[in-house]
Amino acid sequence: MKKQYAFLVDTERCIGCFTCAMACRNYYHQVEGVVWRQVHPLSEEIYPHRERAFLSLSCNHCENPACLNVCPVEAYTKREEDGVVVHHQEKCIGCGNCIRSCPYGAPKYNPVEKRAEKCSLCHERLDAGLDPACVQACPTDALQLIDLAEFERTNEVQYPAGYPRMEGLNPSTRFVLPKTPKMVRR
Amino acid sequence: MQSMELPLVLFTVFSQAAIGVTLMRAVRTTADGAGSVDNDARREWGLIAGLMAFGMLGSLFHLGHPLSAPMALKHLGTAWLSREVLFAGMFTVVTVLAVLAAGKAGKPVLAWIGTLLGLGVIVSAGMTYAPPALPVLNNALPFTFFLASAVILGAGFGSWFAEGERARLMARIFTTALVVGLVLNLAAPCVWLSGGTVMRMTGQAWLGSGFYWAHVLVLAGCLGVVWKTGTVPAWLPVLALLGELAGRAGFFADTIHTAANMGGLY
């Protein structure tokens, strides 16, 4: 398997503090209303406990990205060296086809630029040997950067409940599921 | 409720009307295998070209950068939107050529070329609007909706240019397409109600939508008028067009995206 960078979301460790989302915003200063990383609480049907569990999600840098396939102007590329899906905003004509097509809602419309944009896995930071801003900022190590070609843990899943199953796209994000909380009875 | 995408509503409905009229012209002028009584070719091709030009113009307002629209032809390899733009462009060129070339009798070959290119537009539009992010439409349904619209509007407006037996033929096709459109529109949301969460949400959104019911009522009303009169009155295609516009606005506004339920059961 070729090198494929991906996010590992450890929902057991995630405390829903939104630091990852804020770090992304601090780093890129997206315009109001445009969010590249969002923290979604799992519904009580999925995690029926007083404690909450969260999915921190942004672009999944899919193996077969819908955004790249549907873009009429070839504004998306997938990097050979690490599988990161990059949006080249200067090529975008703002047709919204990627926004309509991505089942994870990763591309967003920038109403100021009148073009789409999305998480680039901080590829310029990766090239400089740094972690993405969201990964670096996570206080509990719940969000990690992994290379799927070398990843050896066995307790992760690709499609947890609360996340659309899209086998044709093969999203790269992996998840560690939350455990049932311990009940202490007196 | 999402955006109703008015420019896309105008583009899809008006282009499908143009394609439908072209298809009906091809059918009508070759219906008996011996050519046709065809005294109004330039006016009919003028209507087709006008509908298509209006739709194409409307589509530009959907883009953030309309002047870069020709760049949308770059990704013909995998992007159905690029293919849709290509087919729509070629269809428009054929309609303009037909207006210029048409005398009183017109050229049947242009109608058939236009029909083939028009079907290319409908197929590629059907694929463009069937993304994985919209589970209820990630199938052949958009194509069938678009084809039904094309035939309804084509037979409706085509009846303006038909007389005698051919007018009755247009009325029969119009009636059949209305029945198909009505069945499709009534069945689809009911089927979605028994699907997964996002499908059910979409079914509920459609059934609670004014756009949806306006479309269904117009289809049923048109059917009633044709049944009562046995012909297609001149005003009826305009009513059908308004119904299709309402239905298409609902198609875009009331179809739920998978990302709307992130963190919930799918």
Side-chain angles (χ1 to χ4, degrees):
Chain A
M1 184 184 177
K2 282 202 297 190
K3 186 171 187 173
Q4 170 68 60
Y5 274 143
F7 290 113
L8 174 68
V9 182
D10 188 337
T11 53
E12 176 62 17
R13 289 183 174 181
C14 180
I15 55 173
C17 66
F18 282 75
T19 304
C20 49
M22 285 191 287
C24 179
R25 193 158 196 82
N26 280 341
Y27 196 74
Y28 289 102
H29 295 280
Q30 295 98 334
V31 301
E32 196 178 336
V34 176
V35 178
W36 291 1
R37 175 168 288 283
Q38 184 59 279
V39 180
H40 302 269
L42 283 178
S43 73
E44 288 193 18
E45 294 164 301
I46 295 172
Y47 194 70
H49 305 289
R50 188 168 294 176
E51 271 184 33
R52 304 294 332 121
F54 305 88
L55 297 180
S56 170
L57 297 173
S58 65
C59 175
N60 298 295
H61 301 278
C62 303
E63 183 192 8
N64 184 28
C67 55
L68 185 151
N69 289 329
V70 304
C71 177
V73 295
E74 298 182 331
Y76 288 88
T77 53
K78 188 167 173 69
R79 301 210 310 178
E80 276 293 316
E81 62 268 33
D82 53 17
V84 175
V85 179
V86 180
H87 180 245
H88 305 275
Q89 204 179 34
E90 72 284 359
K91 293 184 182 174
C92 179
I93 60 172
C95 70
N97 211 25
C98 54
I99 297 167
R100 192 181 311 110
S101 298
C102 172
Y104 301 102
K108 307 286 184 192
Y109 189 71
N110 180 330
V112 176
E113 293 287 333
K114 297 185 175 174
R115 302 175 201 267
E117 58 185 46
K118 73 166 193 75
C119 157
S120 62
L121 220 152
C122 291
H123 61 85
E124 70 289 359
R125 288 175 60 92
L126 296 180
D127 292 342
L130 300 170
D131 274 339
C134 52
V135 171
Q136 187 193 39
C138 179
T140 61
D141 256 352
L143 193 61
Q144 296 167 37
L145 180 72
I146 56 171
D147 174 6
L148 290 182
E150 295 177 357
F151 188 60
E152 288 181 346
R153 279 176 74 158
T154 54
N155 64 337
E156 89 288 355
V157 297
Q158 189 174 11
Y159 301 109
Y163 179 81
R165 184 183 187 94
M166 295 287 160
E167 291 175 352
L169 276 56
N170 196 9
S172 70
T173 305
R174 296 293 185 269
F175 300 86
V176 176
L177 299 179
K179 291 177 188 152
T180 305
K182 278 186 187 149
M183 299 288 285
V184 179
R185 296 184 191 278
R186 290 168 191 259
Chain B
M1 185 168 161
Q2 298 160 91
S3 161
M4 79 165 95
E5 307 269 16
L6 188 59
L8 290 184
V9 171
L10 293 177
F11 169 66
T12 55
V13 172
F14 278 83
S15 66
Q16 284 152 25
I19 292 160
V21 179
T22 311
L23 170 66
M24 289 306 128
R25 178 175 170 75
V27 168
R28 221 174 49 245
T29 53
T30 51
D32 58 4
S36 69
V37 184
D38 183 19
N39 297 324
D40 234 354
R42 177 159 287 169
R43 221 160 58 91
E44 188 172 4
W45 277 114
L47 174 71
I48 294 169
L51 288 168
M52 194 63 198
F54 185 73
M56 293 286 273
L57 188 68
S59 74
L60 294 180
F61 290 94
H62 166 65
L63 298 178
H65 296 264
L67 295 178
S68 303
M71 302 300 287
L73 287 165
K74 270 176 81 174
H75 202 187
L76 292 167
T78 64
W80 281 100
L81 182 55
S82 290
R83 297 168 190 169
E84 185 186 358
V85 172
L86 177 68
F87 278 117
M90 291 197 294
F91 177 78
T92 307
V93 169
V94 168
T95 62
V96 172
L97 282 178
V99 171
L100 297 175
K104 276 199 162 183
K107 306 248 185 310
V109 67
L110 286 177
W112 283 109
I113 292 172
T115 297
L116 288 176
L117 292 172
L119 289 175
V121 177
I122 291 179
V123 169
S124 47
M127 295 300 288
T128 299
Y129 299 109
L134 304 175
V136 298
L137 299 179
N138 186 214
N139 45 48
L141 212 46
F143 167 74
T144 54
F145 280 144
F146 295 167
L147 189 60
S149 296
V151 178
I152 289 169
L153 297 174
F157 286 111
S159 67
W160 285 0
F161 305 94
E163 290 168 4
E165 181 52 38
R166 285 186 176 74
R168 284 189 286 278
L169 174 67
M170 289 296 101
R172 284 199 297 277
I173 296 175
F174 186 62
T175 309
T176 309
L178 285 172
V179 171
V180 171
L182 203 52
V183 170
L184 268 176
N185 276 282
L186 288 172
C190 298
V191 172
W192 300 339
L193 290 178
S194 61
T197 307
V198 177
M199 289 182 89
R200 199 171 61 248
M201 287 163 74
T202 306
Q204 288 165 345
W206 277 48
L207 291 172
S209 163
F211 290 131
Y212 171 77
W213 287 110
H215 185 205
V216 167
L217 287 175
V218 167
L219 289 173
C222 289
L223 201 54
V225 170
V226 182
W227 178 65
K228 195 83 178 161
T229 62
T231 58
V232 183
W235 54 270
L236 200 57
V238 178
L239 178 65
L241 176 68
L242 294 175
E244 291 305 312
L245 288 170
R248 197 58 48 82
F251 175 92
F252 287 111
D254 301 320
T255 305
I256 309 292
H257 194 284
T258 44
N261 193 43
M262 211 64 88
L265 277 176
Y266 277 94

